[in-house]
Amino acid sequence: MAPKIDWESQIGRRLRFRDLHVLFTVVQNGSMANAAAQLGVSQPSVSEVMADLEHTLGVRLLDRSPQGIEPTIYAHALLKRSRIAFDELKQGIRDIEYLSDPTVGKLRIGCPESISSSILPAIIQRLSEQHPRVVPDVDAGPTDTMIKELLDRSLDLVVARGRQTLADDSIIDRLKMEVLFQDKVVVAAGAQSKWARRRKIELAELVDERWIMSAPGTWNHMVMAEAFRGRGLDMPRTGLTTLSVSLRTILVATSPSIGVFPDSVLRVYGDRFSLKRLPVDLPVRPWPVTIVTLKNRTLSPLVERFIECAREVAKSFASSPRKRP
């Protein structure tokens, strides 16, 4: 059993951020020698820091073997909490940089492609007009992966779709979600399609058409499955399944295929690629686009400014599109 540690006498006056940084580097590299090379110091210096840290805490932090170094359960516990402290310190430095010159800074954003293809460009454009030297860094991976990166504090925020796609309840409790607007699923075809000039289309008429959809389990696919099932119809023949918005957009625009899109995507790309929203009745299933941040994390001024820009841009997406004559 590890001895009880006295913060004042053992830790408060002896533990330094530099020591924790060395521990991080050793664990990441798996060896003292590689860590020393990365830090630009000698291997004995790294070994001395690790020995002093273990002596201060009274526990073994590293298991050493000919194959390398592995962190113990004590090291994992210390690194987990230290990561938060380092993140808050970095946030503080970034806040100072922003306050001294609010036109510069780096913003780490997680955003799936269906949002980076719709509302995100307008948000970044608005932010860039006000702060032209801010550098947004956008990660367009799967939402679940980006939520994990947010929890690890490697992202500042995530722009996501819907609570049900984020994570389980134990993780959701650690997140703060603000709804920007409610999106919806729409059906579209190319402007030259035989369906493009129809004023009303029954879903049954489209059963034999070639459809381009996202994968089963996605919101698009679930809404369409519910719509066909509600009319006693089987799902239509799928010509292509993909999450790629650009691929769906190009193929629907250049072929007789029928496509399924978020309404926000069609607003941005409809005129550009000559896509026509088809008058098909679908189940009303609100699809929230949300800003996701950590509950217990202080937001930097730059993140707060991004969120303000997102709210402003979202107003245009929240309003109903004009009906063409």
Side-chain angles (χ1 to χ4, degrees):
M1 178 177 177
K4 182 175 177 60
I5 299 173
D6 182 354
W7 169 260
E8 281 298 326
S9 63
Q10 292 180 259
I11 307 299
R13 301 176 185 178
R14 298 180 62 181
L15 185 61
R16 301 171 299 175
F17 268 98
R18 172 67 175 172
D19 300 337
L20 296 176
H21 178 61
V22 173
L23 175 61
F24 268 110
T25 308
V26 170
V27 171
Q28 288 174 348
N29 285 274
S31 79
M32 298 280 190
N34 292 340
Q38 181 175 327
L39 293 169
V41 298
S42 66
Q43 183 174 338
S45 296
V46 173
S47 300
E48 183 180 353
V49 170
M50 289 297 94
D52 288 345
L53 193 55
E54 289 180 332
H55 176 72
T56 298
L57 297 172
V59 295
R60 179 177 291 277
L61 296 173
L62 303 172
D63 285 332
R64 301 161 177 81
S65 71
Q67 287 72 39
I69 289 176
E70 292 290 336
T72 65
I73 57 173
Y74 306 113
H76 278 299
L78 182 60
L79 292 174
K80 178 181 178 181
R81 300 295 183 180
S82 299
R83 185 176 290 110
I84 298 174
F86 274 113
D87 176 74
E88 289 295 328
L89 183 60
K90 289 178 182 177
Q91 291 278 51
I93 299 301
R94 291 167 62 189
D95 289 352
I96 292 172
E97 292 173 346
Y98 178 84
L99 292 170
S100 62
D101 186 353
T103 64
V104 301
K106 186 173 182 179
L107 193 61
R108 302 162 299 178
I109 306 164
C111 183
E113 189 196 3
S114 66
I115 297 177
S116 64
S117 299
S118 59
I119 189 174
L120 185 62
I123 298 172
I124 291 177
Q125 180 63 29
R126 183 178 290 262
L127 183 68
S128 298
E129 289 171 356
Q130 299 172 7
H131 306 295
R133 292 163 61 195
V134 168
V135 181
D137 183 355
V138 180
D139 182 353
T143 299
D144 287 346
T145 300
M146 291 186 294
I147 292 298
K148 291 178 181 177
E149 292 176 356
L150 178 65
L151 292 169
D152 289 339
R153 298 174 179 247
S154 57
L155 291 176
D156 293 311
L157 59 91
V158 173
V159 188
R161 287 190 180 276
R163 176 189 174 98
Q164 74 289 336
T165 63
L166 294 181
D168 58 51
D169 288 340
S170 64
I171 292 179
I172 288 177
D173 288 341
R174 299 167 60 187
L175 305 175
K176 180 181 178 181
M177 286 173 277
E178 175 183 340
V179 176
L180 292 175
F181 68 97
Q182 296 289 353
D183 212 345
K184 62 182 179 180
V185 174
V186 296
V187 178
Q192 304 305 315
S193 169
K194 64 181 180 180
W195 303 104
R197 297 187 180 276
R198 289 280 297 272
R199 292 184 177 274
K200 185 172 178 58
I201 301 174
E202 296 296 332
L203 200 56
E205 299 179 76
L206 301 176
V207 168
D208 294 329
E209 296 298 311
R210 183 177 185 269
W211 286 70
I212 296 176
M213 293 191 186
S214 52
T218 59
W219 188 256
N220 283 358
H221 196 281
M222 289 189 292
V223 170
M224 294 309 304
E226 180 184 351
F228 280 101
R229 188 168 56 248
R231 290 165 174 76
L233 303 170
D234 293 331
M235 283 289 284
R237 177 173 62 94
T238 302
L240 175 69
T241 299
T242 179
L243 290 175
S244 171
V245 172
S246 59
L247 183 55
R248 278 183 281 163
T249 301
I250 293 171
L251 288 176
V252 171
T254 58
S255 74
S257 301
I258 304 295
V260 181
F261 298 93
D263 179 63
S264 59
V265 170
L266 204 62
R267 290 197 199 191
V268 174
Y269 289 100
D271 291 340
R272 188 180 306 174
F273 287 92
S274 298
L275 299 177
K276 177 67 183 296
R277 181 186 284 100
L278 300 184
V280 178
D281 288 334
L282 297 177
V284 179
R285 294 290 179 267
W287 195 10
V289 174
T290 59
I291 292 280
V292 187
T293 55
L294 292 181
K295 277 185 178 179
N296 298 318
R297 186 185 194 185
T298 303
L299 299 181
S300 71
L302 190 53
V303 173
E304 291 178 341
R305 188 69 199 107
F306 176 90
I307 294 175
E308 290 173 7
C309 291
R311 291 169 183 154
E312 294 165 3
V313 171
K315 292 176 183 177
S316 64
F317 282 83
S319 60
S320 299
R322 292 184 301 169
K323 292 185 178 180
R324 295 183 181 178

